[in-house]
Amino acid sequence: MKQEYTIAELQAEMNALSQLFESVALADPRMGLLDPATLQPLNKIATVPALDANGRGLQIVKAANGLEVVIAQGINAAGTPCVLLLQMPLPRSLQADGAEDSFTRTLSQMQDDLRRDHVTGVYNAVYLNEEFRPRAERAAMNGEPVGVVMVRVNEYWHLREYESDSAANCCLNMASGILQLAIGPTNEKIALARLNDGFFAIVTIGTPAAKVARTVSEAMNDSRREFNISLSRRGTFTVNIASAEWGETASWDMTLSLAQQRL
């Protein structure tokens, strides 16, 4: 599949693909579904799988009639970056002896593992983009407060460079534990994720991010923030905390970026 299309070429390609796939759609991860003829938003939320370095992504979803696969391909249509979404049901050949239920459970566990940070166990950026982002965008469109609290563990890179990966990971684990206790378990309204290196993001729906930031700051100040550097040495860490509200930017990516810039 090529990646550069004119509007006419795109429409012809989508018509051809619709003979093979149950659903063929065009989307912008920030604006939702697009009209293939005009590239204008249709004001409909689109779930876009996380894309790799080649602009490709795949996600298995549970639909009303069983499991379906969503294939995503990043393209340029008339110079506009967007994503082609192809959806079709998985073959229903797992009926006997409860094989489908077993497959579904295994698949769910694999998907959850892929959405977890391997160091701290909290969610990662894949979860935020695939699972929480559509909720946040839908809530923002309905006028609910949506915001991001960004937390940076300041000592992370020093520990990586001058101590060990194990010490840096112990530091992150202590920080994530305090953050998780401060906000409670991830649910429909709030999520904690490690983005990269020493950064954590808390996305909140229905509660102003500034209020959540105060809660996190108080939790950090009230905690000892100690971790093991080695069997005989302990260290402490500090954090920087900043927040941004959706209304300041009106965009998921820009809200996360603004909160990070304020650190």
Side-chain angles (χ1 to χ4, degrees):
M1 180 182 293
K2 67 177 188 175
Q3 294 185 319
E4 299 288 339
Y5 292 87
T6 65
I7 296 294
E9 289 173 337
L10 176 62
Q11 290 178 311
E13 181 84 351
M14 292 179 69
N15 287 335
L17 290 170
S18 66
Q19 306 299 313
L20 302 173
F21 294 89
E22 187 173 274
S23 172
V24 179
L26 191 68
D28 183 310
R30 298 166 299 172
M31 296 185 292
L33 293 180
L34 303 178
D35 182 346
T38 64
L39 303 183
Q40 294 301 306
L42 297 175
N43 296 322
K44 294 181 179 179
I45 298 296
T47 300
V48 179
L51 304 182
D52 63 15
N54 296 315
R56 301 187 182 97
L58 184 144
Q59 184 178 9
I60 306 295
V61 298
K62 193 165 186 178
N65 296 322
L67 297 173
E68 295 188 351
V69 60
V70 179
I71 301 171
Q73 173 65 61
I75 63 170
N76 279 301
T80 300
C82 46
V83 179
L84 197 58
L85 297 175
L86 314 173
Q87 189 163 341
M88 64 180 294
L90 284 176
R92 298 187 60 83
S93 58
L94 305 169
Q95 300 289 339
D97 301 325
E100 184 172 8
D101 289 341
S102 177
F103 176 75
T104 301
R105 289 194 300 272
T106 302
L107 180 63
S108 297
Q109 183 61 53
M110 289 176 60
Q111 287 187 321
D112 190 60
D113 289 343
L114 290 172
R115 296 173 178 183
R116 294 277 184 181
D117 172 44
H118 70 283
V119 173
T120 64
V122 302
Y123 285 109
N124 58 22
V126 173
Y127 173 84
L128 286 185
N129 280 311
E130 291 187 355
E131 187 73 21
F132 212 78
R133 178 175 182 162
R135 299 180 202 164
E137 291 176 333
R138 190 160 47 246
M141 290 174 63
N142 292 333
E144 289 188 68
V146 176
V148 174
V149 178
M150 199 71 65
V151 180
R152 183 182 67 212
V153 179
N154 297 319
E155 288 73 17
Y156 177 77
W157 274 110
H158 180 87
L159 291 166
R160 285 283 302 271
E161 185 171 355
Y162 295 103
E163 297 291 349
S164 66
D165 288 350
S166 175
N169 291 343
C170 283
C171 180
L172 287 185
N173 272 308
M174 180 59 67
S176 67
I178 296 171
L179 293 173
Q180 196 73 79
L181 286 173
I183 68 170
T186 291
N187 54 52
E188 297 288 324
K189 295 293 186 179
I190 195 164
L192 167 66
R194 180 190 171 199
L195 297 187
N196 52 59
D197 300 332
F199 288 91
F200 292 89
I202 300 168
V203 183
T204 174
I205 299 173
T207 303
K211 182 177 179 180
V212 176
R214 287 194 296 272
T215 299
V216 169
S217 180
E218 291 170 1
M220 284 293 175
N221 290 334
D222 292 341
S223 301
R224 296 178 64 182
R225 289 177 279 124
E226 291 187 350
F227 63 95
N228 291 327
I229 295 177
S230 66
L231 292 176
S232 59
R233 296 169 58 215
R234 294 179 65 82
T236 61
F237 67 90
T238 61
V239 297
N240 279 17
I241 302 169
S243 65
E245 308 292 345
W246 185 285
E248 296 180 271
T249 63
S251 161
W252 168 269
D253 294 317
M254 292 183 67
T255 303
L256 267 70
S257 178
L258 179 60
Q260 190 162 358
Q261 289 172 19
R262 286 174 171 171
L263 286 173

